[in-house]
Amino acid sequence: MKRIGILTSGGDCQGLNASIRGVAKSLYEEFGEDGVEIYGIKDGYKGLIFGEYMKMKSSDFSGILTLGGTILGTSRQPFKLMRVIDETAVDKVKNMKANYKKMKLDCLVILGGNGTQKTANLLREEGLNVVHLPKTIDNDVWGTDMTFGFHSSVEIATNVIDCIHTTATSHGRIFAVEIMGHKVGWLPLYAGIAGGADVILLPEIPYDIKKVAKTLNDRIEKGKKFSILAVAEGAISKEEAKMKKKDFKAARAAMTEPSIVYRIADELKPLVDNEIRVCVPGHFQRGGSPCAYDRVLCTRFGAAAAKFIREGKFGVMTGLVNGEIVPVPLEDVAGKLKTVPVDCEEIRAAREIGVTFGD
Ligand code: F6P
């Protein structure tokens, strides 16, 4: 009898349930329904720390392919605090190992992004068998060409820009749309290109507000009264990019606007004649059903995870590399961030059609 635990950790995204289903159905196929017991761990690592888990039935994994969110629940448990024993005196690592042993697991399947992956690697170092599936709308996990959730959120963010486009055109307004991505700009880059944005501001390319204003004014001069800016949550000015981390944090903490897109709109107002409005779709971008691409990717990741378990390949991530799902050792990838290369083909193509990145 194989005993497999499964948890979803960190910010949710589309495709978590599709991946859980992929893992479970493949395990039942591999080992037979009487040959495997699956334990669902509640709310990410929190459930593993505090012993909150339940034995699942095969029927629990039916009808969830298209369901958004996660049937297991999730939470953010910062990696940097995992080894810290706080005022509650809970030894998180000790508890996680004890609960893994209590469930008599052969492997723990972990669905999550970068932070989750670092803890998965910690558990590997502690001797637990783990397999990690890369999820996040940010697509910033090193060692996989694609994370699940990314394409679904690109669809949503693109749809937002499309809808804003029509009203911006009618009114001749400039709209700045804030797209998720604090440290990494894959989502604003893809949604910006797909939505036909005129300006795309990414964390990887610090912007000069005067250059952004010039692009908007040039368009107005050409008779194009409306413009669309796709602004990453983590967009950063050239001045800020030169600051020390501490000063940058203090400057952002002192910012009076609710988020960066509002500040950018405020900075642009005195420099541009047309009306400027802001749109923040926020967590819409993480909600709802996974798109068809993600449903396929999640199924492939899930099936690969079950195969790795059967083959005894532990301490790995299911990575999509050059079109194939391969076992990527966690020790090679944990702690690395897949940022957008500033000279990548997507950025070059966007520049070639006249998109401004504000640099
Ligand atoms: O990591 C996914 C993500 O949606 C980021 O794009 C975003 O910056 C962050 O999570 C938001 O986190 P929270 O849901 O905790 O506010």
Side-chain angles (χ1 to χ4, degrees):
M1 170 71 72
K2 290 277 174 205
R3 297 165 72 97
I4 309 298
I6 185 160
L7 65 81
T8 55
S9 165
D12 73 343
C13 72
Q14 305 88 346
L16 283 163
N17 290 325
S19 298
I20 292 170
R21 169 185 178 269
V23 173
K25 286 194 177 252
S26 309
L27 284 172
Y28 290 129
E29 285 295 319
E30 294 269 358
F31 301 108
E33 287 213 13
D34 298 332
V36 61
E37 273 178 4
I38 300 179
Y39 288 82
I41 295 153
K42 288 187 189 168
D43 301 336
Y45 289 119
K46 203 166 145 202
L48 193 58
I49 294 168
F50 295 104
E52 288 170 13
Y53 51 80
M54 62 252 170
K55 195 171 145 192
M56 311 281 288
K57 303 182 295 299
S58 62
S59 58
D60 294 331
F61 304 106
S62 284
I64 61 169
L65 173 64
T66 61
L67 191 65
T70 161
I71 57 167
L72 298 175
T74 187
S75 64
R76 291 197 187 272
Q77 296 288 317
F79 168 73
K80 63 178 180 200
L81 299 180
M82 277 298 179
R83 288 200 188 272
V84 177
I85 303 196
D86 56 22
E87 63 281 358
T88 59
V90 173
D91 184 333
K92 302 181 200 72
V93 176
K94 194 171 150 210
N95 280 18
M96 287 194 284
K97 287 168 72 177
N99 282 317
Y100 179 99
K101 283 220 172 83
K102 203 166 152 197
M103 284 181 272
K104 298 196 179 78
L105 297 183
D106 293 291
C107 179
L108 175 63
V109 178
I110 298 171
L111 282 60
N114 279 300
T116 301
Q117 187 189 61
K118 285 194 262 183
T119 299
N121 190 43
L122 177 156
L123 295 176
R124 176 195 66 80
E125 286 166 353
E126 291 289 328
L128 306 192
N129 292 335
V130 297
V131 172
H132 169 233
L133 273 63
K135 73 92 238 215
T136 166
I137 64 165
D138 297 331
N139 192 28
D140 59 357
V141 176
W142 187 269
T144 182
D145 296 342
M146 195 54 65
T147 58
F148 66 85
F150 175 66
H151 272 287
S152 302
S153 57
V154 169
E155 292 296 326
I156 295 175
T158 302
N159 190 29
V160 170
I161 298 177
D162 287 349
C163 293
I164 288 294
H165 231 124
T166 61
T167 174
T169 316
S170 309
H171 288 266
R173 285 171 174 157
I174 296 167
F175 266 92
V177 184
E178 188 173 272
I179 312 285
M180 275 187 162
H182 261 301
K183 293 187 184 149
V184 174
W186 289 110
L187 179 53
L189 175 63
Y190 269 66
I193 294 174
D198 310 292
V199 177
I200 302 177
L201 303 182
L202 306 177
E204 290 87 348
I205 306 180
Y207 68 85
D208 175 344
I209 200 71
K210 292 207 184 86
K211 295 221 167 121
V212 176
K214 183 172 179 325
T215 302
L216 302 176
N217 286 327
D218 286 351
R219 279 178 55 82
I220 294 168
E221 240 173 63
K222 282 185 205 151
K224 293 182 174 171
K225 290 188 189 152
F226 79 94
S227 285
I228 306 288
L229 294 85
V231 178
E233 266 181 319
I236 174 171
S237 70
K238 280 192 187 285
E239 295 76 32
E240 287 173 316
K242 286 184 204 137
M243 289 179 179
K244 287 195 183 121
K245 206 173 168 187
K246 192 171 97 239
D247 298 334
F248 172 69
K249 277 194 170 171
R252 280 294 168 99
M255 194 169 93
T256 49
E257 293 88 354
S259 68
I260 189 66
V261 74
Y262 288 94
R263 190 189 79 188
I264 289 174
D266 284 349
E267 287 170 345
L268 285 172
K269 276 174 194 160
L271 306 175
V272 180
D273 281 340
N274 280 15
E275 187 181 357
I276 302 179
R277 295 284 187 103
V278 162
C279 169
V280 183
H283 288 76
F284 256 87
Q285 294 162 94
R286 291 209 322 232
S289 284
C291 66
Y293 176 93
D294 274 335
R295 293 178 201 180
V296 175
L297 186 63
C298 293
T299 304
R300 293 174 72 194
F301 279 154
K307 181 169 155 264
F308 297 161
I309 290 170
R310 178 171 47 79
E311 292 170 351
K313 283 187 188 134
F314 301 121
V316 296
M317 167 179 74
T318 57
L320 178 69
V321 181
N322 298 327
E324 275 179 48
I325 315 278
V326 295
V328 179
L330 286 176
E331 59 188 328
D332 294 348
V333 294
K336 294 184 187 168
L337 198 62
K338 190 181 72 184
T339 55
V340 178
V342 294
D343 61 347
C344 69
E345 204 260 324
E346 291 91 331
I347 290 185
R348 278 189 277 124
R351 286 192 197 278
E352 275 159 27
I353 63 156
V355 174
T356 303
F357 287 83
D359 53 337

